[in-house]
Amino acid sequence: MEIFQNFLQQSITFFAIIDPIGISAIALSILSPNISKTQISTIARKTSITIVVAFFVVLISGELVLKLFGIGEDSLQVMGGLVLLLMALTMVRGSSSGETQDDTRSSKKDEEMAVIPIGIPITFGAGLFTTIIIFKNQVENTMELFTLVVAFCINA
């Protein structure tokens, strides 16, 4: 029963931090306006793969990276907040580029945006990084680690 409670807590936390509804709105606002549904599906698939790979990298080596650079979890949260603030200011300012592109260049640029900035740091940012490390520190056995992985993959 405790494993199910942990799974539910992790799933809800990941859902709140990833915020798929908000991310989809942000992604659609930065992608070109004439994007097709198949291109959106491709970008969503690439973004999902990106955040799952980033999850496993953080799960395996996240604490090592923090120790290597001497970064505490609190410092990581502050930096994540600053990154979000800068992104918000950029979004409020709006796009300043007035150049037009043809459809092939535009669609190629949109697909490149699936990894950066949509995958990392918009979807997989400092908050998610910190949450994964906190949840990993709470894991006591292999079954709890498995529920953590499943909870994240469901949300991804």
Side-chain angles (χ1 to χ4, degrees), residues 80-128:
L82 290 175
V83 168
L84 288 175
L85 175 67
L86 292 173
M87 287 173 48
L89 290 174
T90 303
M91 289 173 63
V92 167
R93 256 193 350 227
S95 176
S96 61
S97 65
E99 60 189 62
T100 58
Q101 300 177 346
D102 61 2
D103 287 346
T104 56
R105 278 189 62 202
S106 179
S107 67
K108 183 70 172 168
K109 180 183 172 218
D110 286 340
E111 287 186 24
E112 290 171 358
M113 292 177 74
V115 177
I116 297 174
I118 297 172
I120 300 171
I122 294 174
T123 306
F124 195 96
L128 200 52

Side-chain angles (χ1 to χ4, degrees), residues 53-71:
V53 168
F55 168 78
F56 283 109
V57 168
V58 169
L59 192 65
I60 294 167
S61 64
E63 291 176 3
L64 176 68
V65 170
L66 289 178
K67 288 179 185 175
L68 183 67
F69 291 109
I71 299 172

Side-chain angles (χ1 to χ4, degrees), residues 27-76:
L28 288 175
S29 72
I30 63 175
L31 296 173
S32 65
N34 57 351
I35 191 166
S36 69
K37 287 184 180 184
T38 56
Q39 290 171 321
I40 291 174
S41 296
T42 302
I43 291 169
R45 188 170 33 273
K46 285 183 180 182
T47 301
S48 296
I49 291 169
T50 300
I51 66 172
V52 168
V53 168
F55 168 78
F56 283 109
V57 168
V58 169
L59 192 65
I60 294 167
S61 64
E63 291 176 3
L64 176 68
V65 170
L66 289 178
K67 288 179 185 175
L68 183 67
F69 291 109
I71 299 172
E73 290 179 12
D74 294 334
S75 301
L76 190 64

